[in-house]
Amino acid sequence: MVSKMVYWECIKSKSLAVVIPTFNDGHLIEITLKTIPDIVDKIIVVNDGSNEDASNLIKDCAQEDGRIFVIDHPKNLGLGQSLIDGYVFARDHDYDIIAVMAGDNQMAPSDLTNVIDPIADNSFDYVKGNRLLRDDVRSRMPKYRFIETAYSLLTKFATGY
């Protein structure tokens, strides 16, 4: 493991963008955006056809934080297209490290350094976090998401996936 001082020097020499796909996340997108750490150079919000209230919250946050760039989809195109659009923007603007965070505040922005650590010290090219392993997952994730996760796991077992 790299020392903290070396790590921060490594991060400072690289540009970091965070892609946040969002669809009607309401006040949760506001909380998410306001807690993104200062080490992030650009916050790319892909507003995937959200309602007017959510869209206005995103615009207000963008006015307050100059790091936020908003890509607006006039209608919902789905998570996959939102991620593609965010990645393409980050690539086209030459960001060294690109991370993805959900707009519903189920991923703690304070965990961002844990995800980018292995990339920053050149140990890995790609890292994927798992929000289900967090200690506070029950307070951050709605109950229906636990049910969806259980059904997904049962489906994987049933299909042999």
Side-chain angles (χ1 to χ4, degrees):
M1 187 69 177
V2 176
S3 75
K4 244 186 174 142
M5 180 180 246
V6 171
Y7 168 74
W8 287 112
E9 287 304 313
C10 184
I11 283 295
K12 286 179 189 175
S13 70
K14 296 183 180 184
S15 56
L16 172 61
V18 172
V19 175
I20 303 178
T22 182
F23 175 68
N24 290 337
D25 287 321
H27 73 282
L28 295 174
I29 184 66
E30 181 179 25
I31 295 167
T32 301
L33 292 173
K34 289 185 176 187
T35 55
I36 299 290
D38 291 337
I39 61 169
V40 175
D41 298 300
K42 183 61 79 179
I43 304 165
I44 305 160
V45 178
V46 184
N47 181 9
D48 194 26
S50 295
N51 62 36
E52 188 176 351
D53 289 342
S55 295
N56 287 337
L57 279 174
I58 294 166
K59 288 175 188 168
D60 290 346
C61 288
Q63 287 179 343
E64 292 174 18
D65 188 337
R67 299 176 301 163
I68 299 173
F69 178 81
V70 181
I71 298 172
D72 277 314
H73 291 168
K75 65 177 186 171
N76 185 278
L77 300 176
L79 177 60
Q81 188 62 54
S82 295
L83 290 173
I84 289 169
D85 292 347
Y87 277 133
V88 167
F89 179 91
R91 181 204 60 200
D92 289 350
H93 289 83
D94 296 320
Y95 286 96
D96 298 315
I97 300 173
I98 306 166
V100 174
M101 292 183 63
D104 59 6
N105 201 39
Q106 290 183 35
M107 299 173 183
S110 59
D111 282 343
L112 188 58
T113 54
N114 294 331
V115 174
I116 64 172
D117 247 355
I119 297 169
D121 70 12
N122 295 315
S123 297
F124 293 93
D125 292 326
Y126 184 84
V127 175
K128 184 171 183 345
N130 185 342
R131 60 185 164 191
L132 296 175
L133 299 177
R134 287 189 49 84
D135 291 336
D136 64 348
V137 68
R138 289 187 182 176
S139 65
R140 293 184 84 80
M141 188 181 289
K143 289 185 185 357
Y144 76 87
R145 291 301 300 261
F146 283 109
I147 295 168
E148 287 176 354
T149 301
Y151 282 137
S152 177
L153 186 61
L154 289 172
T155 301
K156 287 179 182 179
F157 282 129
T159 61
Y161 173 65

